[in-house]
Amino acid sequence: MSKTILIVEDENILREIMKDYLLEEGYRVIEAADGKQAVSLFQEHEVDLILLDIMLPELDGWSVCRRIRKTSNVPIILLTARSDEDDTLLGFELGADDYVTKPYSPPILLARAKRLLESRHTREHESDTLSSGGISVHFPSRTVSIDGTSSGLTHTEFEILAYLLQNKGIIISREQLITKIWGYDFTGDDRTVNSHIRNLRSKLGKHAKQIVTVVRSGYKFEDEL
């Protein structure tokens, strides 16, 4: 079954360009021209990925992201102007997974969408489940439990936690995380990684200390003492 992508963009020409590229690749496309319509459509349909403009009428992209994250970890790519870097970081704080700056190349946007969709259905490890202390990562269902309770991680938070846990005890640089999670063509900086790590730690509760910051080097995952 083809994947469904929700395009949320108030500029008709941009929305049509994105739609044409996605349809040519075999995706099913749903369109929204404002934030309220986006939330409504998301509630009515099974959506696999969202392309979300920040500056929208009725309800801005941050508000849309915030509402969707209350109930879903569906991958979200923000569409934003290059000068809005601080706004982009706010989007990450609210649970967005990636961003593409305007003006953007449709093939680049498509590649980022494919990466997020494909990573939800591939595994690069031998075990279905990895655990440490009270943290348990189940790869087939892409779920994480904290002390037996399900934790609502976003797509990117899950990828970061899984990668760190798979390399437990090894220092992973921010550059390595960017390459692994976002790809070689990512144009962001260390603050993007920091934002996601901060969000991830907040959801791990008392186990947050297992993600250790190594000054001027990166991060590593350690077992609880």
Side-chain angles (χ1 to χ4, degrees):
M1 181 181 296
S2 61
K3 301 299 180 184
T4 299
I5 297 179
L6 171 59
I7 302 174
V8 189
E9 170 62 69
D10 62 323
E11 295 185 41
N12 294 334
I13 295 177
L14 285 179
R15 195 172 65 249
E16 285 300 316
I17 291 173
M18 285 190 286
K19 177 182 178 180
D20 289 343
Y21 267 87
L22 293 171
L23 290 176
E24 287 180 4
E25 292 294 323
Y27 295 109
R28 179 171 177 258
V29 176
I30 301 173
E31 303 173 67
D34 62 64
K36 286 186 177 180
Q37 184 183 22
V39 173
S40 178
L41 288 173
F42 180 77
Q43 294 171 342
E44 296 171 5
H45 299 272
E46 291 291 332
V47 175
D48 297 291
L49 183 139
I50 301 173
L51 303 178
L52 178 61
D53 188 26
I54 290 180
M55 303 308 295
L56 294 168
E58 301 295 336
L59 195 67
D60 63 40
W62 303 302
S63 299
V64 173
C65 186
R66 183 184 295 109
R67 292 191 185 189
I68 288 175
R69 278 292 173 257
K70 289 181 179 180
T71 60
S72 173
N73 65 351
V74 62
I76 297 175
I77 300 178
L78 294 178
L79 308 176
T80 178
R82 187 175 299 276
S83 60
D84 292 335
E85 188 170 275
D86 288 339
D87 292 344
T88 303
L89 291 172
L90 173 59
F92 285 144
E93 294 288 343
L94 296 175
D97 296 287
D98 199 356
Y99 77 94
V100 174
T101 56
K102 294 182 176 181
Y104 53 78
S105 162
I108 292 297
L109 178 59
L110 179 61
R112 290 185 179 279
K114 282 184 176 180
R115 183 184 296 121
L116 283 171
L117 288 168
E118 290 171 359
S119 65
R120 291 175 69 86
H121 301 283
T122 58
R123 291 188 289 125
E124 300 177 354
H125 39 73
E126 296 178 355
S127 175
D128 282 347
T129 303
L130 288 178
S131 300
S132 176
I135 302 172
S136 183
V137 177
H138 187 242
F139 290 93
S141 63
R142 296 183 59 83
T143 57
V144 174
S145 63
I146 309 297
D147 294 326
T149 301
S150 179
S151 178
L153 301 189
T154 68
H155 173 93
T156 299
E157 291 163 0
F158 178 94
E159 292 292 324
I160 292 172
L161 178 61
Y163 187 49
L164 291 175
L165 187 53
Q166 287 169 323
N167 294 277
K168 185 167 56 177
I170 299 173
I171 297 174
I172 304 296
S173 69
R174 290 175 175 82
E175 291 75 16
Q176 285 175 291
L177 278 172
I178 287 173
T179 299
K180 173 65 178 179
I181 307 302
W182 289 277
Y184 288 99
D185 57 350
F186 184 68
T187 57
D189 57 26
D190 289 353
R191 292 189 298 170
T192 298
V193 178
N194 296 343
S195 293
H196 285 289
I197 291 290
R198 183 165 55 252
N199 288 349
L200 176 57
R201 280 173 168 156
S202 71
K203 294 179 181 180
L204 295 181
K206 67 180 182 182
H207 303 290
K209 60 185 178 182
Q210 289 186 253
I211 298 179
V212 178
T213 299
V214 183
V215 179
R216 291 189 293 276
S217 296
Y219 302 95
K220 66 177 178 176
F221 191 96
E222 292 185 344
D223 285 327
E224 290 182 318
L225 298 178

